[in-house]
Amino acid sequence: MAKAWTENGVVFVTTDVSIAPLDAIDVPDGTSPSDLVIDNGVLRLKTETEKLLELKQQKLNELDSLTTQYITSHYPLTKQNSDNSDATYWQNYLLMYGIDPVKSRQTIAYAVISFFEQGWSFEQCVQFFLSQFPDPNPTKDPGGPIYWNYAVEQILKSGIRMEWLKRVKEKCRHYVTQINNATSITELQNIVFDYSNLPFPNLPSLFELL
């Protein structure tokens, strides 16, 4: 058996009985200070439920830190805001030339989902949209839309990156559910956070803003 006691609110554990104070309590060998709690001024071993709840909070904190770091290292808030603004601006630009807003949104959504779930390249996504809504002014005549292809590219870039963000957050929520539903410390310890199957989409530039 080991001995445990507190001094000035700090928990100590030792197997050297000779250095333990007289009011030290007996604890199993291998006990660490983190296995003990001061409860209403009395030192005692944590219950398995307390250990589980404590570990759950640690796992949640770890997940929050990892997810935040993963998102912000690839897609910081400033870029998220910029993408939202760009998507709105360029969608309005296309709408000025009379495209069907419902069909255009559906086409964007289909292309974005296909990028993630069917392995479409970014160029395939752009060409798919342009097959539904071709450039009405390919010769770039004054008075007609001269940024059509560029607008489509920017809308789809924003959509793909925002879909990536959505999927990372969905996976994070899945991990949160796993943590909250865990019924043992072993089950919690076996939860491994991994976003490697959600790499940030690096999208090429296909058109220039003339």
Side-chain angles (χ1 to χ4, degrees):
M1 294 289 286
K3 291 287 187 177
W5 70 98
T6 62
E7 289 183 17
N8 300 319
V10 179
V11 177
F12 295 89
V13 178
T14 184
T15 55
D16 185 351
V17 178
S18 66
I19 66 171
L22 293 177
D23 60 349
I25 64 172
D26 292 330
V27 294
D29 288 337
T31 298
S32 70
S34 63
D35 295 322
L36 297 151
V37 64
I38 302 172
D39 184 4
N40 292 323
V42 177
L43 184 65
R44 65 170 175 81
L45 287 165
K46 292 177 182 175
T47 66
E48 289 304 306
T49 298
E50 287 172 330
K51 290 180 181 179
L52 182 63
L53 290 174
E54 190 175 87
L55 185 55
K56 282 186 176 185
Q57 189 57 56
Q58 291 174 6
K59 284 292 243 185
L60 289 170
N61 292 342
E62 178 188 346
L63 174 63
D64 180 68
S65 177
L66 175 68
T67 305
T68 299
Q69 193 277 332
Y70 186 66
I71 290 172
T72 56
S73 64
H74 294 292
Y75 199 30
L77 185 58
T78 51
K79 182 57 178 171
Q80 295 174 36
N81 292 336
S82 173
D83 272 352
N84 277 311
S85 296
D86 286 349
T88 300
Y89 177 85
W90 290 114
Q91 284 169 3
N92 288 336
Y93 176 83
L94 297 186
L95 291 174
M96 283 194 305
Y97 295 97
I99 68 170
D100 183 331
V102 175
K103 184 181 177 182
S104 68
R105 285 195 296 270
Q106 292 172 340
T107 303
I108 291 166
Y110 185 84
V112 168
I113 296 302
S114 296
F115 178 88
F116 287 96
E117 298 185 2
Q118 298 186 40
W120 281 18
S121 68
F122 180 59
E123 186 173 8
Q124 282 178 291
C125 295
V126 172
Q127 292 306 320
F128 174 73
F129 187 94
L130 292 175
S131 72
Q132 305 299 307
F133 301 96
D135 184 349
N137 185 26
T139 58
K140 303 296 182 281
D141 294 330
I146 60 175
Y147 303 128
W148 191 269
N149 292 347
Y150 181 83
V152 171
E153 177 181 315
Q154 297 309 305
I155 290 168
L156 286 170
K157 278 186 174 180
S158 299
I160 288 170
R161 287 192 287 252
M162 287 188 280
E163 178 66 19
W164 172 85
L165 179 64
K166 173 187 170 185
R167 288 171 180 248
V168 171
K169 290 182 176 181
E170 285 175 347
K171 190 165 188 179
C172 178
R173 287 193 290 271
H174 170 72
Y175 285 137
V176 169
T177 299
Q178 279 189 302
I179 292 168
N180 288 334
N181 290 344
T183 57
S184 70
I185 290 175
T186 299
E187 187 179 350
L188 269 179
Q189 291 172 334
N190 287 335
I191 298 174
V192 178
F193 308 135
D194 182 13
Y195 291 114
S196 61
N197 67 332
L198 286 172
F200 184 70
N202 293 310
L203 306 173
S205 294
L206 305 176
F207 305 101
E208 294 183 3
L209 182 60
L210 302 177

